[in-house]
Amino acid sequence: MTDLGLRFVRRPGPGGRAANLAALGATAIVALLLTFLIAGSLGLAQRSDRVGWRSTDEGTADGAVGILKEVRGKQLNGDPLTVIQLQSLKPSNQPPPGLDHVPAPGEVFVSPEVAKQWSGLKGEYGVDKPTGVITDKGLASPEELVVVQGVAKIDSNYPNYVGSWVNDTKDDRVYALLIAVAFGIILVLFPLLSLVGQAAGVAAKRREHRLAALRLAGSTRAQVLWLSSVEQAVLGFAGAVVGLIGYVVLTPLIALIPLGGGRWYVSDITPNWWTVPLVLVAVPVLSVISALIGLGRVSITPLGVVRGQTRKATSAFRLVLLLIGPIMLATLGMGAAIVPLLIAIGFGALAVRIIGPWAVQMIGKIMANTSNGPVPLLAGRRLADDPKGAFRPVAALVLSGFVTGFISVFIPGGDSDPTTQDMRIGVALLLGLVFLTVAASTAAGAVGTALDQAKPAKALRRAGVPLSVIERSARLAAVTPVLGVGLPVVGFGALCGLALSGGQVFTQGNTGILLLIGQVVVGLVLVAVAGTAGSPVLRKASAN
């Protein structure tokens, strides 16, 4: 079975090459985004380790090695300037990160960017040139503007005593970003998992019929599952390798994102030694699990697959799941601990993913029963007979509506506060990740849907149904879930956001409304483009 699985990868058969390429591309996007999320989170933590000492207040008056104070409101040529005053209380073997010694009174250490502009500061600090330049071990970003000044006495009623110049205190700004990243990962997680499922199920019908034939020929359930696992694991591993290579190539561009005080050191977001094997194992494993979940019907009723037997209807009981997320968020409120809030948001997104097929099935039945022509009739039957297959290609797009609706309540205003700037950039980055996931999932879904519909389309063409009718019904079946399910999900996401905020909208102006309109427009454009791209595949795969 292993050799046969490898053979199917090398020679996938009619339509198989397009399916494998679509699966490979989607899996590569998954690996790239997963690497980015891991490396970016670790990079933020490394930043915090380097600059956290600037905001430390963990020492006591008796045991402290020094006192520090951050002077706020300083600027250098219009850009924010961080000034740290240090008073040494006792000798220390380890100086602050990035400095070669603890500054004595009158000594000044500066970042490289400040050193280039020192002529405008030397009068204020009374020295012609700085005592030293802070290395990258003491900076958050290459362009950070920092002055570390040694003073004889800190002028403060509430001094920050420093127990050690080297500690693991979290920088306040980076700590806020880490919390935001945690929420962002939860919001992007479900579209990303949908992309994994789409990559695994891009040729689900083709694989179903092939494996069902093997079952009817005498293969055991374990054998067909192993065969599918081998095939999907190879594609998943190849996609993971491509994704990792793509991330490494894009790392210099990713380092230009001005998040958390400026652009990144490339070393901060370079994958460490354990990230690579983790991605190379996690992506194929997730792909295999998704593929096996989709093949449960083959292993149990192969004859039903060959005969084209209709799948069991989904239950309306799933609607109860819609209540869990908003109730939890409203009960917890914005002052709750991070983990319960993340779980509550996860329940909201999970409810959308589970209820989606049921909603598609209901819409399909209504379309089929009220149709007045062949196009809506064919589209309605497609949605009603296989709601999971119809929802899968647009699942990531629908879930992106939940993400957009949720964050539309919390978009920061336009002031110049650094934390607010970080949040705005973070929102833009989150939406970029979500829409990249959606684009990849929709593109793969177009190929998968075309291959899924090849056999019934071929039968319809032989019966005399014009190809134009078949293609129009396929496009209608793709757009309907986006409008019928995606639009309510956008509202559900906003409802979850309002439940968390206690009914308060933090977004100022029309930004939230424009974001919601943009979500709808982008969704329709992606589906239209995917439908156009899938038409040639359907036309070729259903040819007589």
Side-chain angles (χ1 to χ4, degrees):
M1 282 296 171
T2 301
D3 292 338
L4 186 58
L6 296 175
R7 181 181 178 86
F8 281 151
V9 174
R10 295 193 302 268
R11 299 180 180 179
R17 189 177 301 277
N20 286 350
L21 288 176
L24 179 66
T27 308
I29 296 294
V30 171
L32 190 152
L33 294 179
L34 181 61
T35 307
F36 173 76
L37 292 174
I38 296 174
S41 300
L42 294 177
L44 281 174
Q46 291 174 8
R47 276 189 173 187
S48 182
D49 291 341
R50 294 197 300 266
V51 302
W53 69 272
R54 302 178 192 170
S55 57
T56 184
D57 188 22
E58 297 181 348
T60 61
D62 296 333
V65 297
I67 307 174
L68 65 79
K69 174 186 176 182
E70 180 179 353
V71 181
R72 301 181 182 274
K74 292 283 188 177
Q75 288 192 336
L76 178 59
N77 295 330
D79 296 320
L81 175 66
T82 301
V83 178
I84 306 296
Q85 294 181 346
L86 298 184
Q87 176 189 348
S88 178
L89 297 180
K90 61 177 63 174
S92 175
N93 294 328
Q94 289 184 301
L99 281 64
D100 57 16
H101 65 273
V102 179
E107 291 186 331
V108 180
F109 284 81
V110 300
S111 62
E113 291 299 314
V114 174
K116 297 175 183 178
Q117 307 176 57
W118 182 250
S119 58
L121 294 174
K122 62 181 181 180
E124 180 180 350
Y125 291 94
V127 292
D128 290 333
K129 63 178 183 178
T131 307
V133 176
I134 305 172
T135 67
D136 56 5
K137 295 181 179 180
L139 298 174
S141 69
E143 69 239 29
E144 191 178 21
L145 303 178
V146 181
V147 173
V148 180
Q149 178 187 17
V151 296
K153 184 173 178 60
I154 293 292
D155 182 17
S156 175
N157 295 326
Y158 302 97
N160 289 350
Y161 289 103
V162 183
S164 170
W165 296 119
V166 180
N167 56 64
D168 57 359
T169 302
K170 296 297 182 185
D171 176 69
D172 294 339
R173 184 174 179 180
V174 177
Y175 184 70
L177 271 176
L178 286 171
I179 295 177
V181 166
F183 280 97
I185 289 175
I186 289 296
L187 289 174
V188 79
L189 178 63
F190 285 91
L192 193 62
L193 290 176
S194 291
L195 177 56
V196 174
Q198 185 59 57
V202 66
K205 275 281 168 56
R206 180 178 60 87
R207 186 175 292 162
E208 271 191 358
H209 284 270
R210 188 176 65 200
L211 297 182
L214 289 174
R215 284 280 282 128
L216 292 174
S219 297
T220 65
R221 180 187 182 205
Q223 285 176 323
V224 297
L225 292 180
W226 176 256
L227 173 64
S228 179
S229 299
V230 170
E231 185 178 359
Q232 192 60 47
V234 172
L235 292 173
F237 183 81
V241 172
V242 173
L244 282 168
I245 294 174
Y247 178 81
V248 173
V249 173
L250 294 175
T251 298
L253 295 178
I254 297 174
L256 299 178
I257 299 174
L259 188 63
R263 57 189 175 90
W264 300 71
Y265 289 105
V266 173
S267 59
D268 281 345
I269 55 175
T270 299
N272 58 22
W273 67 269
W274 57 264
T275 301
V276 174
L278 176 64
V279 172
L280 291 178
V281 171
V283 172
V285 168
L286 289 174
S287 298
V288 169
I289 292 174
S290 298
L292 294 182
I293 291 174
L295 290 173
R297 192 168 68 125
V298 177
S299 62
I300 299 172
T301 59
L303 186 58
V305 175
V306 175
R307 294 173 56 189
Q309 185 174 326
T310 302
R311 295 173 185 263
K312 183 181 178 181
T314 54
S315 172
F317 181 74
R318 301 179 180 209
L319 287 172
V320 178
L321 296 174
L322 287 175
L323 303 176
I324 299 177
I327 291 175
M328 288 183 65
L329 290 170
T331 303
L332 293 170
M334 297 187 65
I338 297 175
V339 174
L341 287 178
L342 295 178
I343 294 174
I345 295 173
F347 268 116
L350 181 62
V352 172
R353 184 63 182 86
I354 293 176
I355 293 171
W358 175 85
V360 169
Q361 187 175 59
M362 293 299 102
I363 294 171
K365 289 181 178 180
I366 294 173
M367 284 182 61
N369 293 334
T370 60
S371 63
N372 56 0
V375 172
L377 176 61
L378 290 175
R381 293 310 308 169
R382 149 75 172 156
L383 298 178
D385 290 345
D386 189 10
K388 292 182 179 179
F391 181 72
R392 187 191 307 119
V394 297
L397 181 56
V398 171
L399 286 165
S400 73
F402 173 83
V403 175
T404 303
F406 186 88
I407 65 176
S408 67
V409 179
F410 300 100
I411 300 176
D415 56 66
S416 58
D417 179 69
T419 301
T420 302
Q421 292 178 352
D422 287 341
M423 292 299 106
R424 286 203 301 272
I425 295 172
V427 167
L429 184 60
L430 173 62
L431 290 175
L433 293 177
V434 170
F435 284 127
L436 176 60
T437 303
V438 168
S441 181
T442 307
V447 177
T449 300
L451 294 173
D452 284 354
Q453 293 300 297
K455 186 175 181 179
K458 182 181 292 186
L460 289 171
R461 292 179 69 176
R462 288 175 176 173
V465 178
L467 179 61
S468 60
V469 172
I470 298 174
E471 291 181 339
R472 285 163 54 198
S473 68
R475 286 194 291 268
L476 180 59
V479 172
T480 300
V482 177
L483 295 176
V485 183
L487 289 179
V489 166
V490 172
F492 178 68
L495 175 64
C496 288
L498 291 172
L500 176 60
S501 67
Q504 182 178 357
V505 178
F506 293 95
T507 303
Q508 300 177 4
N510 299 323
T511 306
I513 300 298
L514 293 175
L515 181 61
L516 296 180
I517 294 174
Q519 164 71 29
V520 176
V521 172
V522 170
L524 291 176
V525 169
L526 284 175
V527 172
V529 173
T532 303
S535 293
V537 179
L538 177 62
R539 193 177 303 120
K540 181 178 180 180
S542 63
N544 291 323

